[in-house]
Amino acid sequence: GQSVDVSWTVSNNAASPALGDWQDALFLSEDQVLDSGDTRLITEYQSDRSPLAGGTSYTATHTVQIPRMGTGQYYWIFATDYAPAYQRDNQSESDETNNTYAIPVYLDGADLTISAASAGPVVSTGQQVPVSITVTNTATVAALEDWTDAVYLSLDEQLDVTDPLLATRLAGADSPLAGGASYQALMTVEIPATMVGQAWLIIRIDDQDDQDETDETNNLRTVPIEIRQPDLQVSDVQLASTTASLGQALDVTWTVHNAGPGDAPVDVSDAIYLSHDAVWDVEDLLLSERDASAETPLIAGSDYTVSHNVVLPSFTLGQSYIIVRADKGNRQGESDETNNLLAVGLMLDAADLE
């Protein structure tokens, strides 16, 4: 990826002028012999140099960018009057064998590694978890590309295509990273509800292999975490009166308990329904919804009790039920999503005016 200034000099060693319009080219090669497998970096037409009088020369300069190649020993090969194998040379010469010149060049590379990483170690589903990393270029040459750092979640310490991507970070602000230099970064990931128990955050730098490196196998680091799930339950519901009239205001008091081993970090809402039976379904009438974010996070083993006033609408008279449902939209991943509600009986009647 580095940009390099190159120059070359072409001489007409004969007495006669060179009258053709030729082109010069520069290649990177694994050996000193130009062939079709070499990487052409530039082609420069030299029509403004023609005719080139006998015994004279010219010098050309150019800036080239080193392409993505393996590290190691290579050669610059400068070629004048260059033409691909399927074309004829533009300039006829007394000696066609001395039109190339090779110079050795060693291509070195950066080596990005994760020198430190931390997170957790105990987290809950839905939690926003900060992940701290330190990235070091252990090579002597700079890392010049703009790469991406990424965090995955895995049930083992091996990254594969089934591991979900949690977060990415463009490291362009940290590039170029000089040899021996480091940067620190903080990424925030949300723990999904699909995993529980022992897991690993897998941090991968240069996630898309944008930066050529001397060692591509040391770009990963794992951080063990334990994922715990909460379990929100409505443990108690109290009505100001178990008998009420249509149109009457009624105070409902309920307690939500986190019975799981993990904290509940997601902002949820509680809902109050009026139902013909003690089983909630989509046909039940929503009376009110209460934002429970003031109770977030609900620590494992803790609870909260709140009261809310609802007005009873037109409904079938007789036995009915008030149902309180915690986490109405199932936003909080839990170990058990079936125990989030509790029903209590309510006898509905109507006023009798005489």
Side-chain angles (χ1 to χ4, degrees):
Q2 182 178 350
S3 295
V4 179
D5 292 331
V6 297
S7 63
W8 64 97
T9 300
V10 176
S11 300
N12 180 3
N13 295 330
S16 301
L19 303 176
D21 291 338
W22 63 91
Q23 58 186 0
D24 297 341
L26 174 61
F27 297 82
L28 267 177
S29 174
E30 294 182 354
D31 53 40
Q32 301 180 59
V33 179
L34 181 62
D35 59 41
S36 59
D38 297 333
T39 301
R40 181 165 47 165
L41 303 182
I42 58 171
T43 300
E44 188 172 278
Y45 290 91
Q46 303 296 352
S47 56
D48 58 335
R49 315 279 190 181
S50 179
L52 184 63
T56 63
S57 62
Y58 65 85
T59 298
T61 60
H62 208 91
T63 300
V64 298
Q65 186 174 37
I66 306 299
R68 298 192 67 177
M69 305 178 70
T71 59
Q73 184 64 59
Y74 289 87
Y75 293 86
W76 301 110
I77 297 183
F78 298 87
T80 190
D81 192 20
Y82 167 74
Y86 57 86
Q87 293 181 359
R88 294 178 56 187
D89 294 343
N90 291 307
Q91 176 63 54
S92 298
E93 303 179 60
S94 57
D95 186 354
E96 297 284 359
T97 65
N98 60 356
N99 285 15
T100 61
Y101 189 82
I103 299 176
V105 58
Y106 187 84
L107 295 187
D108 206 350
D111 187 17
L112 300 175
T113 62
I114 305 172
S115 50
S118 63
V122 178
V123 300
S124 298
T125 53
Q127 182 178 345
Q128 301 286 323
V129 177
V131 181
S132 175
I133 65 171
T134 301
V135 178
T136 300
N137 179 8
T138 60
T140 58
V141 299
L144 302 175
E145 302 296 337
D146 291 341
W147 59 89
T148 301
D149 301 332
V151 181
Y152 296 84
L153 182 62
S154 179
L155 289 175
D156 54 41
E157 297 182 80
Q158 305 299 319
L159 181 63
D160 59 51
V161 295
T162 65
D163 296 331
L165 174 65
L166 300 187
T168 60
R169 173 189 175 272
L170 183 62
D174 302 300
S175 176
L177 185 65
S182 301
Y183 67 85
Q184 292 182 325
L186 188 67
M187 291 183 283
T188 300
V189 302
E190 181 175 327
I191 304 300
T194 54
M195 294 187 187
V196 65
Q198 182 62 58
W200 283 264
L201 294 173
I202 300 182
I203 300 107
R204 185 183 183 195
I205 55 174
D206 191 19
D207 187 53
Q208 303 299 316
D209 292 327
D210 296 302
Q211 174 66 55
D212 283 331
E213 303 180 58
T214 56
D215 187 352
E216 298 284 0
T217 67
N218 59 358
N219 286 12
L220 296 178
R221 185 153 179 160
T222 60
V223 177
I225 59 173
E226 181 187 351
I227 302 176
R228 298 178 180 177
Q229 289 184 318
D231 184 17
L232 300 179
Q233 302 176 4
V234 180
S235 58
D236 184 57
V237 176
Q238 298 291 330
L239 304 181
S241 173
T242 58
T243 302
S245 300
L246 301 182
Q248 178 182 335
L250 179 68
D251 286 334
V252 182
T253 301
W254 68 95
T255 299
V256 176
H257 177 66
N258 181 4
D263 299 341
V266 178
D267 291 338
V268 300
S269 61
D270 300 335
I272 304 172
Y273 296 87
L274 183 60
S275 175
H276 292 103
D277 54 40
V279 180
W280 179 86
D281 59 47
V282 294
E283 301 299 325
D284 293 336
L285 185 62
L286 176 64
L287 299 181
S288 184
E289 183 173 347
R290 176 188 175 274
D291 180 10
S293 59
E295 278 70 50
T296 303
L298 187 61
I299 305 302
S302 65
D303 52 39
Y304 63 85
T305 300
V306 292
S307 295
H308 199 67
N309 185 265
V310 297
V311 175
L312 300 173
S314 176
F315 203 73
T316 304
L317 299 180
Q319 183 63 56
S320 58
Y321 294 84
I322 292 291
I323 299 178
V324 177
R325 180 182 178 189
D327 189 16
K328 172 179 176 289
N330 289 331
R331 296 186 61 202
Q332 174 64 65
E334 303 177 57
S335 57
D336 188 350
E337 297 284 0
T338 66
N339 60 358
N340 285 18
L341 49 83
L342 187 65
V344 293
L346 176 67
M347 183 62 68
L348 284 180
D349 58 21
D352 185 14
L353 300 177
E354 294 183 355

